[in-house]
Amino acid sequence: MLTLLKGLHALLSRPKLWGYSWKPLAWAACLYLVVLIIGQWLIVPRLSERIPGTGWLDWTVSIAGAISITLLWVVAANFILVAVSALFSSFLWGRLSLEAEEAIYGDAPHNEPGCGVAIMDTVFRLLMAIVVVGATLLLGWLGPIVGAAAAGFLSLIDFSAPAYFRRGIAFPAQLKVLSTKSAPGFMIGCGLASLVPFAFVLAMPAMVIGGTIQCREAEGPKGPRPFRSGSV
């Protein structure tokens, strides 16, 4: 979780990075609202209809159930958002990742793969998202911990993607991030954040910077310079 906290600190202490955060954040917020609206329009009413509500007590139970389903969907929308963003995270957050790495370490690699590799990267990420979403639905009966674990896993892959992509490392080669020492803590932090509606979306820039720091630090002594906490 340390790299996630470093990402938050870097974002708060470097106002320059805010200018590279608001556009992708606005897109992410719009996507989140679309997911919420679609859910409220298509999914929540159908689930609510299954709750009986004939008498006064049943009507109360029905209303309480509908509210609970709505709240659950607000949380589930975080997971759906990060699953969908897996397709374009390396492009959406690329500039923020680049500027953050340069601000923190003084330099940043910029050796992105060609168009063909980028297309295959998107295809593989789509397949990964489908598998993770399917597995989460199958294990959904275990409770929100499953969704949080899936969101943490996808967040690790999504938010470190821009840094790895700039190093010429696309998916699935990028999965080596799972072997880094800070990966479990990063996933736990993002997973817990995914249980908090709206806050998860606002925390995305910090997660991107945290994923970038994690990628840089995983390169070993020859890769990163010491983390500098001063402002730019």
Side-chain angles (χ1 to χ4, degrees):
M1 197 177 297
L2 182 59
T3 51
L4 184 56
L5 294 177
K6 285 181 178 180
L8 179 60
H9 179 270
L11 180 65
L12 295 178
S13 62
R14 292 171 168 82
K16 175 184 176 181
L17 298 180
W18 302 350
Y20 304 106
S21 302
W22 72 269
K23 284 186 179 180
L25 187 60
W27 280 106
C30 289
L31 178 59
Y32 182 72
L33 291 176
V34 169
V35 171
L36 285 179
I37 292 172
I38 291 176
Q40 291 293 325
W41 181 38
L42 295 178
I43 298 177
V44 172
R46 285 170 172 75
L47 293 177
S48 300
E49 288 174 358
R50 298 178 179 272
I51 302 175
T54 53
W56 179 84
L57 181 60
D58 289 338
W59 180 83
T60 303
V61 172
S62 177
I63 294 298
I67 294 175
S68 299
I69 292 173
T70 300
L71 293 177
L72 286 174
W73 178 253
V74 170
V75 175
N78 286 333
F79 167 69
I80 295 175
L81 172 64
V82 74
V84 173
S85 67
L87 303 179
F88 50 84
S89 59
S90 57
F91 308 104
L92 184 64
W93 299 103
R95 184 63 185 278
L96 174 61
S97 173
L98 174 64
E99 296 294 337
E101 187 168 357
E102 289 183 343
I104 295 170
Y105 299 104
D107 61 84
H110 197 181
N111 185 29
E112 295 184 357
C115 182
V117 176
I119 293 175
M120 293 305 300
D121 176 82
T122 302
V123 171
F124 282 127
R125 290 182 187 278
L126 174 61
L127 294 175
M128 177 198 66
I130 292 174
V131 170
V132 174
V133 170
T136 303
L137 292 176
L138 289 175
L139 298 175
W141 56 275
L142 294 175
I145 188 65
V146 176
F153 169 77
L154 289 174
S155 295
L156 174 66
I157 303 301
D158 288 359
F159 299 128
S160 63
Y164 278 102
F165 201 74
R166 285 188 289 101
R167 287 163 167 79
I169 302 174
F171 193 88
Q174 187 221 336
L175 286 174
K176 68 179 185 178
V177 69
L178 294 170
S179 64
T180 58
K181 292 182 179 180
S182 54
F186 190 89
M187 288 190 289
I188 291 173
C190 293
L192 292 175
S194 72
L195 298 177
V196 183
F198 305 106
F200 180 77
V201 179
L202 296 176
M204 279 185 167
M207 293 177 183
V208 172
I209 300 175
T212 301
I213 294 172
Q214 178 168 301
C215 173
R216 180 84 180 212
E217 293 185 345
E219 293 175 340
K222 294 182 180 180
R225 300 175 181 176
F227 180 83
R228 301 201 303 268
S229 60
S231 61
V232 173

